[in-house]
Amino acid sequence: MKKPLSILLVIALLCLYGLYSAYRATSRDPFLFVWTFYAFFTAYGLYRDKPWSKYLVYTLALFITGAWSLSVLALQKKGWPYQGVADTALALLPGIVLIALNVAACVVVFRHFPRKKGQAEPQAPEE
């Protein structure tokens, strides 16, 4: 069965995150290899169309978004290092893009797996 491009992009993003966390684990904290394993295991599940993989995508997106949010809050408590609005927006842009990618990946995965019988089908918007 041929995979949709959107799922292949989510798998690629998961693999990139796995490689990034492996790099961070070798340069900083070996505990981060947990995220490497988690990302590659999730990518494998998506590639094999395993229904459990959607929950792993959701939790990984939640943890990534939560970690970014907590780091911004911690930075704000210490004292925001940027004075201007443009500098602040530029500093927050990578995290905002990361959150947008997380939301997009969750939507793609949600739409990829069909609902089981007995569950309500999503309604198509009326035109």
Side-chain angles (χ1 to χ4, degrees):
M1 183 173 168
K2 189 174 178 181
K3 301 259 181 276
L5 179 62
S6 56
I7 287 295
L8 292 176
L9 288 173
V10 172
I11 291 170
L13 285 173
L14 285 167
C15 291
L16 283 173
Y17 180 74
L19 290 172
Y20 172 74
S21 62
Y23 167 74
R24 297 293 289 191
T26 57
S27 64
R28 297 226 173 158
D29 185 10
F31 177 73
L32 295 176
F33 276 117
V34 169
W35 296 113
T36 302
F37 172 75
Y38 193 92
F40 283 120
F41 187 67
T42 304
Y44 170 78
L46 274 181
Y47 183 75
R48 293 293 195 179
D49 286 329
K50 301 293 184 185
W52 48 260
S53 64
K54 65 182 174 183
Y55 302 111
L56 298 181
V57 171
Y58 301 155
T59 55
L60 186 61
L62 179 70
F63 279 114
I64 291 171
T65 303
W68 180 78
S69 300
L70 288 175
S71 67
V72 169
L73 286 174
L75 189 60
Q76 188 267 338
K77 285 184 180 180
K78 286 183 180 178
W80 197 251
Y82 305 106
Q83 299 302 323
V85 174
D87 291 338
T88 300
L90 191 61
L92 294 176
L93 188 62
I96 292 169
V97 169
L98 185 66
I99 290 172
L101 285 173
N102 282 331
V103 170
C106 289
V107 169
V108 165
V109 168
F110 178 77
R111 290 182 177 171
H112 178 69
F113 289 101
R115 293 177 177 257
K116 294 181 181 178
K117 290 183 180 180
Q119 290 181 338
E121 292 291 324
Q123 297 294 322
E126 294 183 28
E127 296 180 25

